[in-house]
């Protein structure tokens, strides 16, 4: 009998498998319907021997020392600061918008102080900021909104920014200095030998068994287990009882070209003319030396694998109904981006999984105490009765 059946071998499932096996000495079965571990962070060497990310570029960054040190047990790190350019008006300019972006785009020679005033002069007054459009036009005005955000957001989400929650564009900062790093987190690094190698080390423990190419529906009734950790889509778990939670999907077109370098930075965004949103050149992320170079083009799609929860109020309401069901389901713990219907970065999912592990350990301590002499006051025990996850939140990007 397994102590835990873990559905999904991405960050959420693998961190919990590792902690439960190594720290709590539990017997764990991890299953995934895909033919590999590492979930969306899966990377592999392609036919030309170049390390690529199958599901689009994954860049690790965090402000959490705990998360960084935890993962550091399973990998060495390669320092990497991510840089992005946007292709606008026939030029490639820094994104997020900074001092150089504006000077290059408009042929100006502004200083940081002058740029503040410049933004103020072009910004539109918006009384209550509700939508993604409001966020941008109130900061940088309509012209930059049109050049950098409007079509990009339309492509990415299949909706006009005026229909989308403000959270979508408020993640993208605007800078008046020349800092062209995409992220400003304290820890910015990539696993030296790739994400999949890191996951292999994490899951390498005699208490952990792994089954790939397996949907949990196929084995649920045949393999005995005490508790389940579910990191798949929460609506699927409940047979879409209240309807489907909407997701935006992507199609990835991978390509290898016969030149050493293709573009000046890891990612170039295409806000306007192209059907794809961005092009990534993997060698920047991995530091690999090779005479060829591999790229991925991202085409947003309405149908396909669930990647981005669509941030609209009605979807949050629908999710809340599933969340309630999840909270009422004994011995099943819902964790990760699909099970909690939220776009989380990798570090946030690791933090969420570590928090759940702590809660499970505390809960079993309470159970042990309850078997013998109950050392804890009733109120403390009551706090451990629910089985749903509390989210450990960390810096957003
Ligand atoms: C295009 C893209 C780019 C991203 N870039 C970054 C980035 O640069 N930096 C960053 O920090 N984060 C990034 N992320 C977010 C990152 O992918 C997630 O934070 C991370 O993958 C979440 O891990 P998870 O375990 O919750 O989910 P997943 O990695 O999706 O793992 C869930 C697993 O469950 C499995 N599963 C689902 N249903 C079933 C079932 N019925 N039976 C069995 N198995 C099942 C799936 O196959 C999957 O492997 C990006 C996401 C996307 C989509």
């Amino acid at each position: 009998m397994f102590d835990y059946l873990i559905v999904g071998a991405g960050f959420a499932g693998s961190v919990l498998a590792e902690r439960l096996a190594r720290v709590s000495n539990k017997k764990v079965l991890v299953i995934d319907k895909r033919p590999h571990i590492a979930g969306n962070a899966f990377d592999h060497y392609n036919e030309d021997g170049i390390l690529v990310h199958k599901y689009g570029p994954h860049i690790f960054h965090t402000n959490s020392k705990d998360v960084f040190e935890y993962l550091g047990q399973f990998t060495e790190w390669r320092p990497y600061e991510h840089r992005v350019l946007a292709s606008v008006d026939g030029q490639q300019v820094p994104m997020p918008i900074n001092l150089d972006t504006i000077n290059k785009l408009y042929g100006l020679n502004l200083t940081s102080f002058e740029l503040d005033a410049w933004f103020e002069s072009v910004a539109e007054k918006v009384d209550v900021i509700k939508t993604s459009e409001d966020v941008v036009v109130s900061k940088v005005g309509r012209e930059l909104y049109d050049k950098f955000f409007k079509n990009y957001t339309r492509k990415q989400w299949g909706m006009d920014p005026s229909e989308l929650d403000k959270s979508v564009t408020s993640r993208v900062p605007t800078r008046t200095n020349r800092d062209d790093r995409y992220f400003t987190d304290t820890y910015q690094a990539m696993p030296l030998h790739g994400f999949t190698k890191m996951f292999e080390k994490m899951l390498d423990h005699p208490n952990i068994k792994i089954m790939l190419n397996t949907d949990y529906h196929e084995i649920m009734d045949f393999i005995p287990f005490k508790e389940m950790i579910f990191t798949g889509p929460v609506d699927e778990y409940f047979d879409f009882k209240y309807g489907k939670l909407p997701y935006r999907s992507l199609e990835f077109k991978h390509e290898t070209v016969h030149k050493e370098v293709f573009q000046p930075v890891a990612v170039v965004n295409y806000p306007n003319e192209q059907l794809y949103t961005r092009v990534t050149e993997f060698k920047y992320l991995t530091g690999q030396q090779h005479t060829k170079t591999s790229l991925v083009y991202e085409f947003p799609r309405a149908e396909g694998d669930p990647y981005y929860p669509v941030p609209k109020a009605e979807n949050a309401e629908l999710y809340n109904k599933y969340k309630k069901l999840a909270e009422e389901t004994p011995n099943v713990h819902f964790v990760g981006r699909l099970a909690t219907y939220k776009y989380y970065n990798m570090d946030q999912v690791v933090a969420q999984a570590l928090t759940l592990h702590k809660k499970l350990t505390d809960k079993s301590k309470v159970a042990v105490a309850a078997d013998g002499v109950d050392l804890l006051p009733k109120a403390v025990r009551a706090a451990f009765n629910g089985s749903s996850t509390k989210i450990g939140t960390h810096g957003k990007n």
Side-chain angles (χ1 to χ4, degrees):
M1 156 96 76
F2 287 99
D3 294 305
Y4 286 91
L5 169 66
I6 300 187
V7 178
F11 268 103
S14 298
V15 168
L16 274 152
E18 188 280 330
R19 288 289 87 181
L20 287 166
R22 199 160 281 133
V23 179
S24 311
N25 196 26
K26 301 290 182 194
K27 299 244 177 302
V28 173
L29 172 64
V30 183
I31 65 158
D32 204 298
K33 63 181 183 184
R34 287 170 167 167
H36 57 72
I37 57 169
N40 276 350
F42 174 69
D43 53 15
H44 67 108
Y45 286 88
N46 66 13
E47 56 281 8
D48 288 291
I50 300 175
L51 185 59
V52 299
H53 298 183
K54 185 173 165 72
Y55 305 100
H58 276 68
I59 295 114
F60 186 80
H61 55 101
T62 188
N63 284 316
S64 165
K65 187 166 183 270
D66 288 351
V67 168
F68 190 64
E69 286 181 351
Y70 168 72
L71 292 177
Q73 297 174 76
F74 313 105
T75 186
E76 288 168 62
W77 294 105
R78 167 181 179 266
Y80 170 74
E81 288 184 331
H82 191 48
R83 286 182 170 77
V84 176
L85 296 175
S87 169
V88 171
D89 294 347
Q91 301 192 64
Q92 295 191 342
V93 291
M95 184 71 192
I97 294 173
N98 70 9
L99 181 62
D100 288 327
T101 313
I102 300 301
N103 281 338
K104 209 170 164 191
L105 207 59
Y106 293 104
L108 298 171
N109 202 8
L110 300 175
T111 63
S112 283
F113 295 115
E114 290 165 340
L115 184 58
D116 261 334
W118 191 90
F119 279 143
E120 261 174 50
S121 73
V122 293
E124 274 182 21
K125 194 169 163 351
V126 180
D127 288 334
V128 186
I129 294 180
K130 283 200 203 122
T131 69
S132 282
E133 176 179 323
D134 298 339
V135 173
V136 181
V137 296
S138 67
K139 262 203 246 170
V140 299
R142 192 142 304 261
E143 189 169 311
L144 290 174
Y145 164 75
D146 285 343
K147 285 185 196 298
F148 286 87
F149 292 93
K150 187 173 167 177
N151 291 328
Y152 191 91
T153 311
R154 277 185 175 168
K155 269 195 276 190
Q156 178 78 354
W157 295 99
M159 271 187 284
D160 195 81
S162 59
E163 297 170 73
L164 272 173
D165 193 271
K166 62 180 176 191
S167 61
V168 176
T169 43
S170 36
R171 286 155 57 106
V172 186
T174 306
R175 301 186 183 131
T176 51
N177 59 20
R178 304 188 62 195
D179 186 354
D180 65 346
R181 292 170 310 155
Y182 200 73
F183 304 114
T184 52
D185 301 50
T186 315
Y187 305 97
Q188 303 189 39
M190 296 291 284
L192 184 61
H193 304 292
F195 286 104
T196 306
K197 279 271 170 287
M198 179 177 83
F199 276 79
E200 280 171 5
K201 247 184 140 178
M202 215 187 268
L203 294 171
D204 181 18
H205 191 278
N207 284 354
I208 302 177
K209 300 278 174 282
I210 302 171
M211 244 173 136
L212 299 174
N213 292 309
T214 309
D215 193 296
Y216 76 100
H217 295 102
E218 296 171 64
I219 54 123
M220 273 273 287
D221 299 332
F222 308 108
I223 297 186
F225 60 91
K226 291 182 191 155
E227 296 191 35
M228 184 197 277
I229 287 170
F230 188 76
T231 78
V234 63
D235 52 348
E236 182 190 321
Y237 184 88
F238 293 108
D239 295 326
F240 306 104
K241 186 180 163 124
Y242 301 124
K244 240 172 158 317
L245 284 166
Y247 277 95
R248 193 74 177 149
S249 191
L250 287 170
E251 190 180 323
F252 299 105
K253 191 173 152 272
H254 286 265
E255 190 180 293
T256 296
V257 291
H258 287 254
K259 45 161 106 169
E260 236 175 291
V261 179
F262 178 77
Q263 59 190 29
V265 288
V267 171
V268 177
N269 284 358
Y270 290 87
N272 298 312
E273 294 82 12
Q274 326 294 357
L275 289 175
Y276 43 82
T277 47
R278 58 178 183 172
V279 179
T280 301
E281 184 168 359
F282 288 109
K283 280 175 18 182
Y284 285 100
L285 310 185
T286 59
Q288 194 179 354
Q289 304 288 319
H290 202 289
T291 49
K292 295 184 193 173
T293 193
S294 290
L295 319 165
V296 68
Y297 293 74
E298 290 174 50
F299 295 85
R301 295 280 183 256
E303 301 295 327
D305 277 356
Y307 287 128
Y308 300 111
V310 181
K312 291 184 88 172
E314 66 247 43
N315 300 342
E317 268 170 42
L318 181 58
Y319 166 63
N320 279 335
K321 288 182 160 180
Y322 283 113
K323 184 169 176 241
K324 190 157 179 294
L325 280 186
E327 282 166 357
E328 288 162 359
T329 307
N331 300 327
V332 184
H333 310 276
F334 294 82
V335 59
R337 63 179 193 103
L338 296 166
T340 54
Y341 193 61
K342 189 136 204 273
Y343 182 86
Y344 283 124
N345 283 316
M346 297 179 280
D347 65 320
Q348 294 172 300
V349 171
V350 173
Q352 199 189 31
L354 293 174
T355 304
L356 175 57
H357 173 253
K358 185 168 180 319
K359 194 175 164 194
L360 294 173
T361 349
D362 290 348
K363 192 171 140 190
S364 64
K365 275 189 210 143
V366 173
V368 170
D371 276 350
V373 186
D374 192 345
L375 301 170
L376 291 173
K378 265 199 184 121
V380 178
R381 287 192 54 193
F384 291 114
N385 277 344
S387 58
S388 67
T389 316
K390 277 247 158 42
I391 296 161
T393 45
H394 281 258
K396 279 187 169 190
N397 66 21

